[in-house]
Amino acid sequence: MSRVLSGIQPSGDLHLGNYLGAIRNWVEDQGSHDAFYCVVDLHALTLDIDPAELRIRTQDTALDLLAAGLDPDRCTLFVQSHVVQHTQMAWLLECTATMGELRRMTQFKDKSEGKESVRVGLFTYPVLQAADIVLYDAERVPVGDDQRQHLELAREIAIRFNHRFGDVLVVPEAAIPKAGARVMDLQHPERKMSKSVSSPLGTVLMMDEPDQITRKVKKAVTDTDGEVRFDRESKPGLANLLELLAVSTDRTPDQVASSYERYGDLKADTAEALIELLRPVQARRAELAADPGAAAALLARGAEKASEVAEVTYARAAEAVGLLAPR
Ligand code: AQP
């Protein structure tokens, strides 16, 4: 079975974009791949996050992933910082990547724009991400569209490393879903729904109550021309709603558009579909909350399994670059 790896930051409550763009596909890949998934807590350190909150969020994110359908008997779920080779491999790759290519990363440009002081970790974050991937010899990386550029970089770094040191790293490929790859903020449909950007009305959380979902969808920004048609460029708010309803009901946005004449009806059905989509996840999450200790044990088992693979890959890479092996 080919190897899959993906990760999610414990930087806030998980939302619909995370679910549709990534997690739903992780659940599907468990059946057909040797799947590794991690809560990337080291990446969250690039943001201002309270230490006590980070610990809680890391555990909660793991519970959310289990609730969404990750099955520890069919995948390896672990916390990134529990496997020390991530940072070790990141250093080998930092010595392979260039400043120029990191400066081109649009996420870095967006997050550093206008800031007087920018952390080095924010700049080198995509290299740590490349290390996360190559450590597991992952061929496939299921992510949302916002990660396309980072994945391209990971490929380039792996190819360059191999060119210099031999056939050491597996070159990964992004697996971006056809539908749900870029869920937009309901209040600012020109930007993606995100954990770290505060937009309470624009972000549908995986754990939102039905009436919260209804309220957020009802208040979603659309446009004034009143015509229901799928047009991402000139009607981004409406297009987002059409895509959400389409992906929740296995149709295309154009098919959905042809069934509606009024925005209000479309919004009501979109809210209903999202409530139904998230209902089983929320029910499982409530069950899991009763025994948070169980998640800690699962994560320990996951880290053990992940370390077994990461140790071998890191040793191979360290030897290739000429580091003297410890006795
Ligand atoms: N809006 C989205 N639509 C589709 N997929 C998305 N993903 C994130 N947002 C969307 C995918 O979710 C996975 C986890 O990514 P993340 O932890 O970076 O999530 P985030 O919500 O984007 O979190 P942050 O903290 O706000 O991070 P930044 O601002 O760095 O993106 C990924 O596969 C991602 O593609």
Side-chain angles (χ1 to χ4, degrees):
M1 277 205 283
S2 71
R3 194 61 72 60
V4 158
L5 175 124
S6 202
I8 190 154
Q9 299 191 62
S11 50
D13 295 324
L14 303 198
H15 55 74
L16 207 54
N18 299 134
Y19 184 64
L20 294 174
I23 302 167
R24 223 163 66 136
N25 304 306
W26 300 6
V27 173
E28 219 172 288
D29 277 351
Q30 296 179 110
S32 48
H33 295 80
D34 184 14
F36 284 69
Y37 301 122
C38 50
V39 181
V40 288
D41 53 348
L42 297 172
H43 287 282
L45 295 177
T46 59
L47 303 160
D48 267 323
I49 187 159
D50 174 73
E53 191 187 330
L54 177 59
R55 267 186 287 276
I56 292 169
R57 284 201 179 280
T58 301
Q59 180 146 322
D60 282 353
T61 302
L63 287 173
D64 289 345
L65 294 176
L66 294 169
L70 291 192
D71 174 355
D73 289 329
R74 295 198 299 150
C75 73
T76 303
L77 175 64
F78 64 102
V79 175
Q80 181 192 28
S81 67
H82 293 180
V83 180
V84 294
Q85 286 79 14
H86 286 253
T87 43
Q88 293 178 307
M89 182 65 98
W91 181 250
L92 302 193
L93 300 190
E94 276 187 30
C95 295
T96 306
T98 68
M99 298 280 284
E101 60 194 353
L102 291 186
R103 258 193 225 110
R104 282 196 292 276
M105 296 296 109
T106 52
Q107 273 203 15
F108 173 72
K109 288 191 216 166
D110 291 347
K111 289 188 171 180
S112 59
E113 197 183 335
K115 295 226 166 85
E116 221 168 81
S117 163
V118 176
R119 294 183 196 163
V120 176
L122 188 66
F123 186 61
T124 58
Y125 160 119
V127 183
L128 178 58
Q129 188 175 354
D132 300 338
I133 297 164
V134 299
L135 259 186
Y136 298 92
D137 291 335
E139 290 157 62
R140 176 181 164 88
V141 187
V143 285
D145 187 60
D146 60 316
Q147 293 299 328
R148 193 185 288 274
Q149 194 187 29
H150 287 170
L151 258 295
E152 204 38 59
L153 176 71
R155 282 177 64 78
E156 276 167 27
I157 295 174
I159 290 169
R160 192 175 315 137
F161 189 99
N162 286 347
H163 188 69
R164 176 142 183 238
F165 299 112
D167 206 5
V168 180
L169 304 178
V170 171
V171 178
E173 216 167 293
I176 296 173
K178 284 200 181 78
R182 186 170 275 270
V183 176
M184 308 310 275
D185 187 293
L186 297 184
Q187 288 297 310
H188 302 276
E190 69 291 348
R191 72 180 191 217
K192 68 163 195 159
M193 201 175 271
S194 156
K195 278 190 244 101
S196 57
V197 176
S198 172
S199 178
L201 259 186
T203 310
V204 175
L205 304 179
M206 258 167 60
M207 297 304 152
D208 268 346
E209 300 279 342
D211 60 338
Q212 289 173 299
I213 297 177
T214 305
R215 194 166 66 91
K216 289 177 183 180
V217 173
K218 215 169 166 183
K219 287 187 178 292
V221 167
T222 50
D223 51 71
T224 50
D225 85 8
E227 189 193 346
V228 180
R229 100 188 122 77
F230 182 62
D231 181 343
R232 255 199 219 105
E233 291 299 309
S234 59
K235 296 163 80 70
L238 197 77
N240 195 31
L241 294 176
L242 289 168
E243 285 198 298
L244 287 175
L245 184 51
V247 72
S248 312
T249 54
D250 277 333
R251 286 180 286 169
T252 66
D254 283 315
Q255 281 169 340
V256 174
S258 65
S259 334
Y260 290 91
E261 285 183 353
R262 288 153 37 105
Y263 290 6
D265 296 337
L266 170 70
K267 283 183 167 180
D269 286 359
T270 304
E272 205 44 51
L274 295 178
I275 291 166
E276 289 313 314
L277 182 77
L278 295 174
R279 195 187 295 283
V281 180
Q282 297 183 352
R284 272 198 298 273
R285 183 64 173 81
E287 288 165 21
L288 288 164
D291 187 7
L298 288 175
L299 290 173
R301 179 154 67 99
E304 215 173 291
K305 271 174 73 188
S307 296
E308 281 169 22
V309 177
E311 273 167 24
V312 174
T313 322
Y314 175 71
R316 197 171 72 221
E319 200 211 340
V321 302
L323 300 183
L324 182 65
R327 288 191 52 165

Coordinates of all heavy atoms in Angstrom, one line a residue, residues 6-12 15-22 26 40 47 107 111 125 142-147 180-184 192-197, ligand 1:
S6 N -0.6 13.5 6.2 CA -1.0 14.9 6.2 C -1.1 15.3 7.7 O -1.0 14.5 8.6 CB -2.4 15.0 5.5 OG -2.6 16.3 5.1
G7 N -1.2 16.6 7.8 CA -1.2 17.2 9.2 C -2.2 18.4 9.3 O -2.6 18.9 8.3
I8 N -2.5 18.7 10.6 CA -3.3 19.8 10.9 C -2.8 20.6 12.1 O -2.3 19.9 13.0 CB -4.8 19.4 11.0 CG1 -5.7 20.6 11.0 CG2 -5.0 18.5 12.3 CD1 -7.1 20.3 10.6
Q9 N -2.8 21.9 12.0 CA -2.3 22.7 13.2 C -3.4 22.7 14.3 O -4.6 23.0 14.0 CB -2.1 24.1 12.7 CG -1.1 24.3 11.6 CD -0.8 25.7 11.5 OE1 -0.2 26.4 12.4 NE2 -1.1 26.3 10.3
P10 N -2.9 22.6 15.5 CA -3.9 22.8 16.6 C -4.0 24.3 17.0 O -3.8 24.7 18.1 CB -3.2 22.0 17.8 CG -1.7 22.1 17.5 CD -1.6 22.3 16.0
S11 N -4.2 25.1 15.9 CA -4.2 26.6 16.1 C -5.6 27.2 16.3 O -5.7 28.4 16.4 CB -3.5 27.2 14.9 OG -4.1 26.7 13.7
G12 N -6.6 26.4 16.5 CA -7.9 26.9 16.7 C -9.0 25.8 16.5 O -8.6 24.6 16.2
H15 N -12.7 23.7 11.3 CA -13.9 24.3 10.6 C -14.2 23.5 9.3 O -13.5 22.5 9.0 CB -13.6 25.8 10.3 CG -12.3 26.0 9.5 ND1 -12.1 25.7 8.2 CD2 -11.1 26.4 9.9 CE1 -10.9 25.9 7.8 NE2 -10.2 26.4 8.8
L16 N -15.2 23.9 8.7 CA -15.7 23.2 7.5 C -14.6 23.1 6.4 O -14.6 22.1 5.7 CB -16.9 24.1 7.0 CG -18.0 23.4 6.2 CD1 -18.5 22.2 6.9 CD2 -19.1 24.4 5.9
G17 N -13.8 24.1 6.3 CA -12.7 24.0 5.3 C -11.8 22.9 5.6 O -11.4 22.1 4.7
N18 N -11.4 22.8 6.8 CA -10.5 21.7 7.2 C -11.2 20.3 6.9 O -10.6 19.4 6.5 CB -10.2 21.7 8.7 CG -9.5 23.0 9.2 OD1 -9.9 23.6 10.2 ND2 -8.5 23.4 8.4
Y19 N -12.5 20.3 7.3 CA -13.2 19.0 7.1 C -13.3 18.6 5.6 O -13.0 17.5 5.2 CB -14.6 19.1 7.8 CG -15.4 17.8 7.7 CD1 -14.9 16.7 8.4 CD2 -16.5 17.7 7.0 CE1 -15.6 15.5 8.4 CE2 -17.2 16.5 7.0 CZ -16.7 15.4 7.6 OH -17.4 14.2 7.6
L20 N -13.8 19.5 4.8 CA -14.1 19.2 3.4 C -12.8 19.2 2.6 O -12.7 18.4 1.7 CB -15.1 20.2 2.8 CG -16.5 20.2 3.4 CD1 -17.3 21.4 2.8 CD2 -17.2 18.9 3.1
G21 N -11.9 20.1 2.9 CA -10.6 20.2 2.1 C -9.6 19.1 2.5 O -8.8 18.7 1.6
A22 N -9.7 18.6 3.7 CA -8.6 17.6 4.1 C -9.2 16.4 4.8 O -9.1 15.3 4.3 CB -7.6 18.4 5.0
W26 N -8.9 12.3 4.4 CA -8.0 11.5 5.2 C -8.7 10.2 5.6 O -8.2 9.1 5.6 CB -7.6 12.2 6.5 CG -6.8 13.5 6.3 CD1 -6.6 14.1 5.1 CD2 -6.2 14.2 7.3 NE1 -5.8 15.3 5.4 CE2 -5.6 15.4 6.8 CE3 -6.2 14.1 8.7 CZ2 -5.0 16.3 7.5 CZ3 -5.5 15.0 9.5 CH2 -4.9 16.2 8.9
V40 N 0.1 18.9 14.0 CA 1.4 19.6 13.8 C 1.5 20.7 14.8 O 1.4 21.9 14.5 CB 1.7 20.0 12.3 CG1 1.9 18.7 11.5 CG2 0.5 20.8 11.7
L47 N 2.7 30.9 15.5 CA 1.7 31.9 15.8 C 1.8 32.2 17.3 O 2.5 31.5 18.0 CB 0.3 31.3 15.6 CG -0.1 30.8 14.2 CD1 -1.2 29.8 14.3 CD2 -0.4 32.0 13.3
Q107 N 1.8 32.3 1.5 CA 1.3 32.3 2.9 C 2.3 33.1 3.7 O 1.8 33.8 4.6 CB 1.2 30.9 3.4 CG -0.1 30.2 3.1 CD -0.5 29.1 4.1 OE1 0.1 28.9 5.1 NE2 -1.4 28.3 3.7
K111 N 1.2 36.4 5.8 CA 1.2 36.5 7.2 C 2.3 37.4 7.8 O 2.2 37.8 8.9 CB 1.5 35.1 7.8 CG 0.3 34.1 7.6 CD 0.5 32.8 8.3 CE -0.8 32.1 8.3 NZ -0.8 30.8 9.0
Y125 N 8.8 27.6 8.0 CA 7.6 26.6 8.2 C 7.4 25.7 7.1 O 7.3 24.5 7.3 CB 6.4 27.5 8.5 CG 5.0 27.0 8.3 CD1 4.1 27.0 9.4 CD2 4.5 26.6 7.1 CE1 2.8 26.5 9.2 CE2 3.3 26.1 6.9 CZ 2.4 26.1 8.0 OH 1.1 25.7 7.9
P142 N -2.8 14.4 1.1 CA -4.1 15.0 0.9 C -4.3 16.3 1.7 O -4.2 16.3 2.9 CB -5.1 13.9 1.4 CG -4.3 13.1 2.3 CD -2.8 13.2 2.0
V143 N -4.4 17.4 0.9 CA -4.5 18.7 1.5 C -5.5 19.6 0.7 O -5.9 19.2 -0.4 CB -3.1 19.5 1.4 CG1 -2.2 18.9 2.5 CG2 -2.5 19.4 0.0
G144 N -5.9 20.7 1.3 CA -6.7 21.7 0.6 C -5.8 22.5 -0.4 O -4.6 22.4 -0.4
D145 N -6.5 23.3 -1.2 CA -5.8 24.0 -2.3 C -4.8 25.0 -1.8 O -3.8 25.3 -2.4 CB -6.9 24.7 -3.1 CG -6.3 25.3 -4.3 OD1 -5.8 24.6 -5.2 OD2 -6.4 26.6 -4.5
D146 N -5.0 25.5 -0.5 CA -4.1 26.5 0.0 C -2.7 26.0 0.2 O -1.7 26.7 0.4 CB -4.6 27.1 1.3 CG -4.8 26.1 2.4 OD1 -5.3 25.0 2.1 OD2 -4.4 26.3 3.5
Q147 N -2.6 24.6 0.2 CA -1.3 24.0 0.5 C -0.5 23.6 -0.8 O 0.6 23.1 -0.8 CB -1.4 22.8 1.4 CG -1.9 23.1 2.8 CD -0.9 24.0 3.5 OE1 0.3 23.9 3.3 NE2 -1.4 24.9 4.4
G180 N -14.6 21.0 -2.6 CA -14.3 21.4 -1.2 C -12.8 21.8 -1.0 O -12.4 21.9 0.2
A181 N -12.1 21.9 -2.0 CA -10.6 22.2 -1.8 C -10.3 23.6 -1.3 O -9.3 23.9 -0.8 CB -9.9 22.0 -3.2
R182 N -11.3 24.5 -1.5 CA -11.1 25.9 -1.0 C -12.4 26.5 -0.5 O -13.2 27.1 -1.3 CB -10.5 26.7 -2.1 CG -10.1 28.1 -1.7 CD -9.2 28.9 -2.7 NE -7.8 28.5 -2.7 CZ -7.0 29.2 -1.9 NH1 -7.3 30.2 -1.2 NH2 -5.7 28.9 -1.9
V183 N -12.7 26.2 0.7 CA -13.9 26.7 1.3 C -13.7 28.2 1.7 O -12.7 28.4 2.4 CB -14.4 25.9 2.5 CG1 -15.6 26.5 3.2 CG2 -14.7 24.5 2.1
M184 N -14.5 29.1 1.3 CA -14.2 30.5 1.6 C -15.0 31.0 2.8 O -16.0 30.4 3.2 CB -14.7 31.4 0.4 CG -14.1 30.9 -1.0 SD -12.3 30.6 -0.9 CE -11.7 32.2 -1.3
K192 N -10.0 32.5 2.2 CA -10.3 31.2 2.6 C -10.8 31.2 4.1 O -10.4 32.0 4.9 CB -9.2 30.2 2.5 CG -8.0 30.5 3.4 CD -7.1 29.3 3.5 CE -6.1 29.5 4.7 NZ -5.5 28.3 5.2
M193 N -11.7 30.3 4.4 CA -12.0 30.0 5.8 C -10.8 29.6 6.5 O -10.1 28.7 6.0 CB -13.1 29.0 5.9 CG -14.0 29.0 7.1 SD -15.3 27.7 7.0 CE -16.6 28.7 6.2
S194 N -10.5 30.1 7.7 CA -9.3 29.8 8.4 C -9.4 29.8 9.9 O -10.3 30.4 10.5 CB -8.3 30.9 8.0 OG -7.3 31.1 9.0
K195 N -8.6 29.0 10.5 CA -8.6 28.9 12.0 C -8.0 30.1 12.6 O -8.5 30.7 13.6 CB -7.8 27.7 12.5 CG -8.4 26.4 12.4 CD -7.5 25.4 13.1 CE -7.0 24.3 12.2 NZ -5.7 24.5 11.7
S196 N -6.9 30.6 12.1 CA -6.1 31.6 12.8 C -6.6 33.1 12.5 O -6.2 34.0 13.2 CB -4.7 31.5 12.4 OG -4.5 31.6 11.1
V197 N -7.4 33.2 11.5 CA -8.0 34.6 11.2 C -9.3 34.7 11.8 O -10.2 33.9 11.5 CB -8.1 34.8 9.7 CG1 -8.7 36.2 9.4 CG2 -6.7 34.7 9.0
Ligands
AQP1 N1 -10.7 27.0 3.8 C1 -10.2 25.8 3.5 N2 -10.7 25.1 2.5 C2 -10.2 23.9 2.2 N3 -9.2 23.3 2.9 C3 -8.7 24.0 3.9 N4 -7.7 23.7 4.8 C4 -7.5 24.8 5.6 N5 -8.4 25.7 5.3 C5 -9.1 25.3 4.2 C6 -6.9 22.5 4.8 O1 -7.0 22.0 6.1 C7 -5.8 21.3 6.4 C8 -5.2 21.8 7.7 O2 -4.7 23.1 7.5 P1 -4.3 24.1 8.6 O3 -4.1 23.5 9.9 O4 -3.2 25.0 8.1 O5 -5.7 24.9 8.7 P2 -6.2 26.4 8.7 O6 -7.6 26.4 9.0 O7 -5.8 27.1 7.4 O8 -5.4 26.9 9.9 P3 -4.6 28.2 10.1 O9 -4.1 28.2 11.5 O10 -5.5 29.4 9.8 O11 -3.4 28.1 9.2 P4 -3.0 28.9 7.9 O12 -3.5 30.3 8.0 O13 -1.5 28.8 7.9 O14 -3.6 28.2 6.7 C9 -4.8 21.5 5.2 O15 -4.8 20.4 4.4 C10 -5.5 22.7 4.5 O16 -5.2 22.7 3.1

